[in-house]
Amino acid sequence: MTYVVNGRRFDEEPGPGQCLRTFLRSLGHYGVKKGCDAGDCGACTVWLDGNPVHSCITPAFRAEGVEVTTIEGLGSPGQLHPMQRQFRDAPGFQCGFCTAGMIMTSATFTEAQKADLPRALKGNLCRCTGYRAIEDAVKGVVGVETAGPGKAVGTSVGAPAGDDVVTGRAEFTMDTDVHGMLHLKVVHSPHAHARIVSIDKSAALAVPGVHRVYTWEDVPRKRFSTAIHTDHLVDPDDTYILDDTVRFVGQRVAAVVADTVGAAEEGCRRVEVEYEELPAVFDPEAAMADGAPQLHATDDPFVRDAVHNILLEIHSHIGDVDTGFAEADVIHEGTYSSPRVQHAHLETHGSIAWVENGRLNVRTSSQSPSIAKIKLSHLFALRPDQLRVFCKRVGGGFGGKQEVISEDLAALAALDTGRPVCFEYTREEEFTTASPRHPMTLTVRLGAKADGTLTAFQVRNVSNTGAYGNHGGETLYAGGAAVMIYRCPNKKYDGFSVYTNTVPSGALRGYGMTQPAFAVESAMDELARSLHLDPLELRRRNIVRPGDPLVALHDGPDDVMFNEDGLGKCIDLVDHALARTGNEPPPGSGWLMGSGVASSLHETAPPTEHISEAWVTLGDDLVYELAVGTVEFGEGTSTAHVQIAAGQLGTTPSRIRLVQSDTDRTGFDTGAFASAGLFVAGNAVLRAANAVRDRILEFAAAHTGVHVVMCSLGDGEVVCGDQHVPLAELVALARARGIRFTAARKAYGSPRSVVSNTQGFKIAVHQVTGEIRILYSVQATDAAVVINPAQVRGQVEGGVAQGIGFALTENYQVDAGGAMANPNLRNYRIPTYADVPRTELLLVKSADSLGPMGSKGMAECCVNPVAPALANALHDATGVRCRALPLTPERIYSRLRDNRPLRTAH
């Protein structure tokens, strides 16, 4: 068969039933991405004779005899298609994984389609941007700015990989073909709790192309935690690569390695497993009861109370809450629940491993190659010099890739077979086996005087960690931060992280604070109404102020600096913004109008040790090489790091060459999570750049005989008094003397500062259907010094969009047997373009940051106040209080039916 792709002829025969996406990638067109393989996300969009199609659901044979165009054929870095240029210059991307599909779809739009983007973009999903940036790109709005020498900080410069992203040339994890590569697929448990009696491999090994079948008997019997932190002791080592006991539906039972994905999948179907089913428990309260089925052994040193399935419990207090409640004029108590939430990053988990010159190489989709290397070294008894772990561009993370869950099996098979091995998750595996947000149920009890002064603040948090501990302990500790936002002399926090026979929970944007924020901010709103106070006024009277103890769970010292009232300023800004906006209902009758507000605090680095090292070197080509271990997955740290270095070195971003996320080529980096990619790694970059600058100036001063204080580094030269010395001359002189202008510097996540956020919504709720329409969205945040305004705006907009999805549309449904019932993007509905309003961003310039050049990370915290603000707006509109997420139309309708609001609908 003959195919014409991007003007080039291919005489190839696709496999029986092969889709066009996999066929095109087999021909080397890696800009065609896999996000769903079900026609739901649009990341694989290509043109057939100029018409966009989802190639994952298009049979390959249908492309015969027509012109196929992929993103690579649309334009090149030197000759961009207008739509590629618009996406680069808006910028219309963050991680960039969806961008090729977005461009291929948008480049075909008529003017009428551009005027109706909710309909025109309904087949393309983005998890990062919040869609406003994509709208700007489609409509040709330019947001990228050019920075002069030394002026990069504070400017919306474009991402270093911008041209590569919009042309499909940016490499993601799976965008490569290693010669002789094998493929690994996994047999998953159909039972929530069972002991494996026997596994028969023979039928699987008889499948043509199958090379290996691994079971628990074939892997190192070493415990580890899949969670990623520098200090591994904060996470429980309760997991094996493969185990003889399964504790959730979907757990790995066996791994099959074969020449092709199809052969590996057929091998999985033929593995015969005999199980002895065991009693299962799915509810954490039931799991803590006497006599509940026990998931882990009583001699497990990492489990607090195995008999009652408690991984960890926390009991902390200041003052006496009983006294506080006795002094209260009003007491409010409510129980609030937040369900599992999936990250839904469009690039699924995956790793490729191979052995070269006696060393194991692992190319992976991870938020921390440095920690992944440590864990793999432990599992396979490798010295650090025997192992390299690295990342290319990562297609979204949001905490989901703060785990080692694909690297171990790929490494195992590569070490055993001596062949390269690829292990790539399917979208269904993402939903059923990767780690979602922890479901939490929080009971909040508040006591207050008639004037609103809090007298008692009590929280009980029961967190469902699932079958394994992962991030169960750290997210429980993080949840305690929900009580720090308000001043109160009497506080109590009781937390329980509980094992159940469900998919293990993990890290997700907001990290243990999103769920408590929903509970506490909803409860404060209810308390305000009981006191007949404006909810914002109640918050103003009780928020922590500079000088107040910030950490509320103990009275010992901490490393958090809190010198400025950013939260109060955020509240005031949102209050004024809501007051100045209109209140027009949507067309038609039956709409109830309301507004709601919520706030949150977030520390700028995690309390566990966070380390980053940066290297800066001036090369002979007069380009500065910046090496830093932080991964780029849409959070924008690559751009910010380049800007920081360029600013300190008096040059432009174009003269900074970035090397990142490779344990062979960069220093240690704990990882890109908790906004530490800017706060910690950014400080390392700042210090390394300053060190190189100082070395150049000292050398120039000695060369010219001018005191160093009279020397300054410019773009391509050093000015020493009235002398202008070309940088090339200094580099040549230094090289002749064996001197290199290079430096390495480390930074640590201590001390820390605080980010504040306040979110406001105006909404309309239809009293017949229960539909919520967001009429206005605003978030204020104390951003301190903004490194890149466009990126800050994009991070907040993306966080708000995710928060809207968590609150309104995303429903992780688990059946009676513990299995996820909707493991696809069609039925687990993340927000589309039509679902997300444009969010107004209001920035508070605070001066209490310890980040590089006084900056603060924005990516993590912006999601936390979104769900409670929506729940509070719903109550304001209807009088109905929903204490469980998501706020779906059917839930709202049933409550409206049972509790008809008294106000008149528009």
Side-chain angles (χ1 to χ4, degrees):
M1 301 176 74
T2 300
Y3 295 84
V4 178
V5 183
N6 299 330
R8 181 183 171 191
R9 174 174 169 155
F10 293 88
D11 293 319
E12 299 285 344
E13 187 77 22
Q18 185 173 17
C19 72
L20 182 58
R21 182 191 70 80
T22 58
F23 181 61
L24 289 171
R25 287 180 64 84
S26 73
L27 299 177
H29 301 287
Y30 295 118
V32 185
K33 302 299 187 211
K34 182 194 89 168
C36 63
D37 274 341
D40 295 331
C41 75
C44 66
T45 302
V46 300
W47 292 354
L48 296 185
D49 281 344
N51 298 308
V53 299
H54 289 183
S55 60
C56 70
I57 55 172
T58 301
F61 72 82
R62 290 189 180 173
E64 186 183 20
V66 301
E67 177 70 29
V68 180
T69 306
T70 73
I71 188 69
E72 294 95 336
L74 194 64
S76 62
Q79 192 172 359
L80 296 177
H81 181 280
M83 191 57 69
Q84 290 173 313
R85 186 178 303 109
Q86 288 170 211
F87 266 78
R88 182 198 63 186
D89 294 345
F93 64 89
Q94 286 181 21
C95 83
F97 196 81
C98 73
T99 304
M102 286 282 183
I103 291 173
M104 295 304 292
T105 299
S106 303
T108 66
F109 286 169
T110 64
E111 291 304 315
Q113 287 175 305
K114 290 180 182 179
D116 189 12
L117 289 180
R119 180 178 297 275
L121 283 175
K122 66 180 180 180
N124 291 79
L125 297 177
C126 175
R127 191 57 153 169
C128 296
T129 65
Y131 296 101
R132 188 275 315 160
I134 292 170
E135 176 184 330
D136 282 355
V138 173
K139 295 183 176 180
V141 178
V142 175
V144 167
E145 300 171 329
T146 301
K151 305 295 184 182
V153 170
T155 305
S156 294
V157 302
D163 280 354
D164 288 337
V165 168
V166 301
T167 57
R169 288 163 173 78
E171 278 192 52
F172 290 82
T173 310
M174 294 297 159
D175 295 343
T176 188
D177 182 20
V178 183
H179 178 69
M181 188 162 66
L182 302 175
H183 297 269
L184 184 148
K185 300 301 289 184
V186 168
V187 178
H188 298 284
S189 169
H191 304 296
H193 199 191
R195 184 173 295 108
I196 296 174
V197 177
S198 65
I199 301 178
D200 187 347
K201 308 176 183 179
S202 56
L205 289 168
V207 174
V210 169
H211 291 260
R212 297 284 194 280
V213 177
Y214 301 110
T215 72
W216 68 275
E217 296 177 299
D218 305 307
V219 303
R221 195 68 176 166
K222 292 184 179 180
R223 294 176 186 257
F224 74 110
S225 172
T226 61
I228 282 176
H229 292 105
T230 300
D231 181 1
H232 70 94
L233 296 178
V234 302
D235 305 310
D237 289 339
D238 59 3
T239 304
Y240 293 104
I241 297 174
L242 294 169
D243 202 353
D244 60 346
T245 300
V246 292
R247 296 175 175 87
F248 70 97
V249 175
Q251 182 168 331
R252 306 188 311 198
V253 173
V256 177
V257 181
D259 289 328
T260 65
V261 171
E265 289 176 339
E266 180 61 24
C268 288
R269 285 188 284 269
R270 297 197 185 188
V271 173
E272 297 180 10
V273 185
E274 180 184 354
Y275 298 94
E276 176 193 349
E277 288 194 61
L278 301 173
V281 60
F282 307 117
D283 177 74
E285 292 284 1
M288 288 190 290
D290 291 339
Q294 186 177 310
L295 273 73
H296 293 272
T298 55
D299 62 351
D300 189 333
F302 305 101
V303 179
R304 170 69 175 82
D305 180 356
V307 172
H308 295 96
N309 295 303
I310 298 174
L311 165 66
L312 177 73
E313 55 183 289
I314 301 170
H315 303 286
S316 298
H317 72 278
I318 56 173
D320 187 305
V321 291
D322 290 336
T323 300
F325 285 120
E327 295 172 350
D329 296 315
V330 173
I331 296 175
H332 165 75
E333 182 173 338
T335 298
Y336 307 84
S337 62
S338 302
R340 288 177 184 82
V341 173
Q342 233 289 327
H343 308 78
H345 35 68
L346 290 190
E347 180 199 44
T348 61
H349 284 84
S351 299
I352 300 171
W354 67 95
V355 177
E356 184 176 355
N357 298 324
R359 298 182 75 222
L360 176 64
N361 294 265
V362 181
R363 169 174 170 147
T364 186
S365 181
S366 171
Q367 289 177 232
S368 176
S370 293
I371 306 294
K373 176 178 177 176
I374 292 171
K375 289 184 180 289
L376 293 175
S377 296
H378 161 70
L379 288 172
F380 300 109
L382 298 172
R383 299 190 312 270
D385 64 305
Q386 294 177 300
L387 175 60
R388 173 198 182 199
V389 179
F390 68 101
C391 301
K392 293 296 186 176
R393 196 172 181 91
V394 173
F398 316 115
K401 294 171 181 175
Q402 195 186 336
E403 305 260 359
V404 173
I405 59 175
S406 64
E407 295 86 351
D408 54 346
L409 283 177
L412 168 79
L415 289 168
D416 178 49
T417 65
R419 299 266 299 273
V421 177
C422 172
F423 178 26
E424 182 180 15
Y425 273 43
T426 65
R427 178 56 57 186
E428 181 173 342
E429 286 173 323
E430 284 292 327
F431 279 111
T432 58
T433 68
S435 303
R437 190 191 295 284
H438 291 75
M440 290 185 182
T441 299
L442 294 102
T443 299
V444 180
R445 193 170 186 232
L446 302 174
K449 293 287 191 180
D451 65 357
T453 303
L454 289 176
T455 62
F457 192 157
Q458 184 172 4
V459 175
R460 181 179 187 268
N461 183 1
V462 178
S463 175
N464 186 345
T465 194
Y468 297 96
N470 298 14
H471 294 267
E474 288 302 285
T475 52
L476 191 69
Y477 273 112
V483 304
M484 81 180 180
I485 190 171
Y486 297 111
R487 285 178 288 114
C488 183
N490 305 296
K491 296 184 180 183
K492 192 171 191 294
Y493 178 75
D494 297 293
F496 303 86
S497 181
V498 186
Y499 287 114
T500 66
N501 293 112
T502 57
V503 61
S505 303
L508 206 164
R509 194 178 200 167
Y511 200 76
M513 286 183 278
T514 310
Q515 309 94 314
F518 170 66
V520 168
E521 289 298 286
S522 296
M524 284 293 288
D525 203 75
E526 294 191 70
L527 177 64
R529 296 179 189 279
S530 298
L531 291 165
H532 305 291
L533 286 176
D534 177 84
L536 279 178
E537 183 57 31
L538 178 65
R539 288 171 170 82
R540 287 191 183 97
R541 295 181 186 183
N542 290 284
I543 58 172
V544 290
R545 303 283 185 179
D548 293 334
L550 190 60
V551 178
L553 299 184
H554 59 80
D555 55 5
D558 61 71
D559 65 345
V560 179
M561 186 180 79
F562 179 53
N563 297 328
E564 190 166 349
D565 182 20
L567 181 55
K569 295 175 182 177
C570 288
I571 289 173
D572 290 343
L573 284 175
V574 169
D575 191 10
H576 296 154
L578 291 172
R580 64 173 158 76
T581 57
N583 210 31
E584 289 296 317
S589 61
W591 293 101
L592 303 168
M593 311 289 288
S595 61
V597 175
S599 296
S600 69
L601 287 181
H602 185 273
E603 293 153 353
T604 51
T608 51
E609 188 176 16
H610 206 106
I611 306 169
S612 184
E613 182 175 13
W615 305 338
V616 174
T617 302
L618 177 59
D620 292 342
D621 58 358
L622 304 186
V623 173
Y624 295 93
E625 182 173 278
L626 167 62
V628 62
T630 303
V631 178
E632 176 60 59
F633 54 91
E635 79 282 22
T637 53
S638 295
T639 314
H641 292 164
V642 167
Q643 288 179 261
I644 292 167
Q648 299 308 107
L649 295 166
T651 188
T652 60
S654 62
R655 289 191 54 220
I656 305 293
R657 180 170 54 244
L658 184 64
V659 176
Q660 60 187 146
S661 55
D662 186 332
T663 60
D664 268 11
R665 301 183 64 194
T666 62
F668 182 88
D669 187 276
T670 296
F673 52 87
S675 292
L678 177 65
F679 186 80
V680 183
N683 266 330
V685 169
L686 178 75
R687 294 168 187 174
N690 285 344
V692 167
R693 179 199 61 200
D694 292 346
R695 289 187 181 185
I696 294 171
L697 294 179
E698 289 165 3
F699 186 88
H703 173 63
T704 60
V706 176
H707 196 283
V708 70
V709 299
M710 300 296 292
C711 299
S712 63
L713 179 60
D715 193 31
E717 65 176 10
V718 176
V719 179
C720 297
D722 57 1
Q723 302 180 55
H724 291 251
V725 185
L727 205 52
E729 178 182 330
L730 292 173
V731 169
L733 287 170
R735 180 68 68 187
R737 301 178 191 177
I739 297 171
R740 296 179 67 211
F741 297 128
T742 185
R745 292 293 185 271
K746 294 179 182 179
Y748 301 86
S750 179
R752 301 171 291 155
S753 53
V754 176
V755 179
S756 307
N757 301 76
T758 298
Q759 174 70 40
F761 285 110
K762 285 192 173 183
I763 68 170
V765 185
H766 201 278
Q767 63 178 345
V768 175
T769 65
E771 176 191 0
I772 290 179
R773 290 195 188 177
I774 300 174
L775 307 177
Y776 175 62
S777 170
V778 58
Q779 184 166 129
T781 181
D782 62 327
V785 174
V786 174
I787 302 294
N788 188 304
Q791 286 193 164
V792 167
R793 183 182 178 193
Q795 289 300 317
V796 173
E797 288 172 338
V800 172
Q802 277 194 324
I804 289 170
F806 302 163
L808 300 184
T809 65
E810 299 178 40
N811 197 355
Y812 193 110
Q813 299 177 10
V814 179
D815 67 19
M820 189 193 185
N822 55 325
N824 53 69
L825 291 172
R826 187 163 302 182
N827 296 318
Y828 179 90
R829 204 172 71 78
I830 69 173
T832 66
Y833 178 97
D835 297 315
V836 181
R838 304 293 84 92
T839 293
E840 182 178 1
L841 174 61
L842 306 173
L843 298 179
V844 173
K845 291 185 178 180
S846 55
D848 65 348
S849 178
L850 299 164
M853 306 181 79
S855 63
K856 296 183 181 182
M858 294 288 107
E860 181 90 14
C861 52
C862 48
V863 70
N864 292 332
V866 174
L870 280 169
N872 293 340
L874 172 64
H875 182 269
D876 186 55
T878 65
V880 166
R881 171 61 61 178
C882 287
R883 294 177 177 169
L885 297 174
L887 308 174
T888 57
E890 57 269 24
R891 285 183 174 178
I892 296 170
Y893 169 74
S894 65
R895 295 293 306 279
L896 286 170
R897 180 189 59 200
D898 298 337
N899 182 27
R900 288 293 180 187
L902 300 179
R903 65 188 66 193
T904 303
H906 289 85

